């Protein structure tokens, strides 16, 4: 007699509310039917299964593994409550990717989150604080970016990124190098305690780097999940950096994910073939162009993006350098400079940025080196020497000649 074939990831059950296939009704309700509890679902459909054959198969495998490995296995003589607790614990581990970790959140006013005054864009039209979800402590603290200095004087861009995080809308952030695109996303995740994983796209990045691949470990061939799969499974923010440099074949992987669908990896084993996005999973991309190609000639290697791909980003944000008066205020406060010296440093930075935009230089200047130049200038009793250490010494010979000429005119020798 031939043994029955083991269930596979294709063996799903159907949600009676929407007709979608799933492996675990509880997870599906969390993702697609907010407000519908498991008890409510079971009361409406008492005869329906809530776990697929494949999910039950995984639970059975995990239960057998743990029973065999346990030094004190649960026996028939064990109390019923103890046995039930053991089975429940095994089930939770076995379908951890089907019923993922649930993040607990609390509300924090937007102005407190950004450390700005409660006025203007930082409050709503009725003059009330804007509540933002902040994650409570969770198992993925090592993936939360370190909190460091960041300016949020321009509140609108921060609000738009947070809008995407709150509403689960894909966000695309673009702008010149040094405007703080990546740090904007990272510091918002740091302040909301969201785990984030950043993928730096380049010509050399391949599909296996993103979705995973087979590797040999301990003499056995095992599936090594990719960064996208890990982010989707665990509810992290996935930051696809340098989006407009990625190859079309790589970008095609993201299309169903950007539509909120599962990631399907045909080469993976049954357990990893289908990854359903965690309710907390978010997708953000960044680049130097807005998808229409490089209009400046400064970003060789960037490519025009397909319109359908860009349409999958409901929120598109342009990040530019701060207004001079705002930037000077930040530099003065962070570097403990007087207003006059801060104005000079910002004037120099804007001249460098103009030279970069007109292709007289291949490097531009962000806010961080400005603050460093001010702080070092205080210790060296010379803004020029501070600028030398924080910025000028890092430039190519040609760029340095242009920048030193600008520094001579604005800061003196």
């Amino acid at each position: 007699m031939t043994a029955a074939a083991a269930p596979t990831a294709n063996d799903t059950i159907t949600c009676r509310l929407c007709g979608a296939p799933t492996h675990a009704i509880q997870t599906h309700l969390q993702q697609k039917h907010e407000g519908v509890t498991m008890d409510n679902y079971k009361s409406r459909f008492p005869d329906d299964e809530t776990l697929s054959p494949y999910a039950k198969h995984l639970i059975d495998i995990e239960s057998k593994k743990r029973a065999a490995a346990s030094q004190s296995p649960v026996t028939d003589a064990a109390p019923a409550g103890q046995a039930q607790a053991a089975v429940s614990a095994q089930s939770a581990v076995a379908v951890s990717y089907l019923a993922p970790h649930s993040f607990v959140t609390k509300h924090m006013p937007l102005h407190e989150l950004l450390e700005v005054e409660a006025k203007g864009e930082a409050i709503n039209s009725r003059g009330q604080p804007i509540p933002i979800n902040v994650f409570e402590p969770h198992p993925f603290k090592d993936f939360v970016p370190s909190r460091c200095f960041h300016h949020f004087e321009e509140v609108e861009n921060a609000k738009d990124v947070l809008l995407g995080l709150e509403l689960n809308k894909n966000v695309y952030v673009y702008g010149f190098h040094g405007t703080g695109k990546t740090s904007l996303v990272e510091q918002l995740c740091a302040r909301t305690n969201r785990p984030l994983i950043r993928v730096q796209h380049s010509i050399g990045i391949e599909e296996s780097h993103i979705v995973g691949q087979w590797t040999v470990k301990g003499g056995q061939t095992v599936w090594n999940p990719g960064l996208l799969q890990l982010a989707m499974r665990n509810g992290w923010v996935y930051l696809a950096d340098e989006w407009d440099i990625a190859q079309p074949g790589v970008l095609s992987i993201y299309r169903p994910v950007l539509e909120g669908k599962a990631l399907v990896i045909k080469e993976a084993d049954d357990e990893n073939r289908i990854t359903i996005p965690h309710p907390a999973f978010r997708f953000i991309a960044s680049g130097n162009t807005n998808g229409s190609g490089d209009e400046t000639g400064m970003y060789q290697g960037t490519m025009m993006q397909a319109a359908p791909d860009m349409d999958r980003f409901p929120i598109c944000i342009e990040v530019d350098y701060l207004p001079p008066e705002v930037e000077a205020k930040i530099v003065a406060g962070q570097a403990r400079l007087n207003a006059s010296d801060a104005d000079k440093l910002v004037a120099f930075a804007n001249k460098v940025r103009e030279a970069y935009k007109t292709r007289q230089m291949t490097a531009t200047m962000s806010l961080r080196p400005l603050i460093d130049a001010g702080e070092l200038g205080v210790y060296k009793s010379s803004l020029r020497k501070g600028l030398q250490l924080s910025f000028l010494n890092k430039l190519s010979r040609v760029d340095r000649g242009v920048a030193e000429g600008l520094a001579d005119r604005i800061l003196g020798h």
Side-chain angles (χ1 to χ4, degrees):
M1 185 173 179
T2 305
T8 70
N10 294 323
D11 296 318
T12 60
I13 55 177
T14 302
C15 171
R16 291 288 296 277
L17 299 176
C18 64
T22 183
H23 286 292
I25 290 296
Q26 183 172 354
T27 302
H28 179 74
L29 294 178
Q30 293 173 350
Q31 296 175 353
K32 301 298 183 182
H33 303 287
E34 186 177 356
V36 180
T37 66
M38 192 66 173
D39 289 341
N40 178 265
Y41 185 92
K42 289 194 291 187
S43 67
R44 295 174 64 181
F45 312 108
D47 298 327
D48 281 26
E49 294 285 352
T50 57
L51 287 175
S52 70
Y54 182 54
K56 292 178 180 179
H57 174 63
L58 291 181
I59 292 172
D60 181 59
I61 291 175
E62 187 65 24
S63 298
K64 291 177 180 178
K65 285 182 180 178
R66 287 181 169 259
S70 174
Q71 295 180 357
S72 303
V74 177
T75 66
D76 292 339
Q82 181 182 348
Q84 182 61 42
V87 173
S88 297
Q90 294 161 355
S91 301
V93 173
V95 293
S96 60
Y97 79 104
L98 299 173
H101 170 83
S102 295
F103 292 96
V104 178
T105 61
K106 63 179 180 181
H107 284 158
M108 177 180 287
L110 175 67
H111 65 276
E112 291 184 11
L113 186 80
L114 304 183
E115 297 180 308
V116 298
E117 295 184 44
K119 63 179 184 179
E121 296 292 341
I123 56 177
N124 63 24
S125 58
R126 298 183 299 276
Q128 299 170 334
I130 300 173
I132 301 297
N133 283 312
V134 176
F135 285 13
E136 295 280 14
H138 51 72
F140 308 115
K141 63 179 182 179
D142 291 340
F143 290 91
V144 177
S146 299
R147 182 167 174 166
C148 62
F149 166 75
H150 189 85
H151 59 85
F152 291 107
E153 295 291 336
E154 293 290 298
V155 176
E156 191 64 31
N157 284 340
K159 282 179 63 177
D160 290 339
V161 174
L162 288 171
L163 185 65
L165 295 176
E166 293 282 323
L167 301 181
N168 193 12
K169 300 292 186 182
N170 305 320
V171 178
Y172 186 82
V173 184
Y174 76 98
F176 286 115
H177 162 69
T179 54
K181 302 181 296 295
T182 303
S183 60
L184 171 65
V185 176
E186 290 178 338
Q187 288 308 302
L188 288 174
C189 287
R191 283 160 171 75
T192 55
N193 199 32
R194 286 179 179 268
L196 176 141
I197 195 160
R198 176 182 173 186
V199 177
Q200 195 80 16
H201 288 84
S202 65
I203 295 178
I205 197 168
E206 300 176 358
E207 179 179 346
S208 60
H209 301 148
I210 296 171
V211 300
Q213 59 187 331
W214 288 101
T215 59
V216 177
K217 184 177 181 180
Q220 294 184 331
T221 304
V222 296
W223 178 259
N224 186 26
L227 298 179
L228 177 61
Q229 187 178 31
L230 290 172
M232 293 181 66
R233 181 177 294 175
N234 294 310
W236 303 342
V237 175
Y238 185 86
L239 176 55
D241 206 5
E242 306 294 350
W243 176 271
D244 45 6
I245 292 179
Q247 298 298 302
V250 172
L251 294 183
S252 64
I253 300 170
Y254 294 127
R255 286 171 185 162
V257 176
L258 291 171
E259 296 170 0
K261 299 177 181 177
L263 174 67
V264 180
I265 310 170
K266 61 182 182 296
E267 299 87 358
D269 55 7
D270 288 344
E271 183 177 347
N272 291 282
R273 186 163 296 130
I274 298 176
T275 303
I276 301 172
H278 188 290
F281 170 70
R282 299 292 185 268
F283 195 105
I284 299 178
S286 66
N288 293 123
T289 69
N290 66 353
S292 59
D294 180 17
E295 300 174 329
T296 65
M298 294 185 293
Y299 298 108
Q300 296 182 9
T302 58
M303 294 177 286
M304 184 176 293
Q305 302 301 306
D309 286 343
M310 296 306 296
D311 285 346
R312 290 174 169 87
F313 291 97
I315 299 176
C316 185
I317 303 167
E318 181 179 11
V319 178
D320 203 350
Y321 299 107
L322 290 169
E325 63 276 8
V326 174
E327 195 167 28
K329 179 182 176 182
I330 294 171
V331 172
Q334 293 293 316
R336 298 185 298 279
L337 287 177
N338 60 53
S340 176
D341 285 342
D343 287 341
K344 290 179 181 179
L345 282 177
V346 172
F348 167 79
N350 282 322
K351 288 295 184 182
V352 169
R353 293 161 186 167
E354 289 175 11
Y356 178 67
K357 291 178 181 179
T358 56
R359 304 182 69 179
Q360 299 175 55
M361 292 180 62
T362 61
T364 187
M365 190 173 192
S366 63
L367 178 60
R368 184 70 262 177
L370 268 183
I371 297 173
D372 290 337
E375 290 178 333
L376 295 169
V378 171
Y379 285 105
K380 302 286 287 186
S381 299
S382 167
L383 289 180
R384 179 60 185 269
K385 290 181 179 178
L387 192 64
Q388 195 83 30
L389 294 173
S390 73
F391 181 68
L392 297 176
N393 287 344
K394 301 174 184 176
L395 301 177
S396 68
R397 184 170 300 178
V398 174
D399 283 352
R400 183 169 174 175
V402 176
E404 285 182 338
L406 296 174
D408 289 342
R409 290 197 294 272
I410 296 172
L411 302 177
H413 294 277

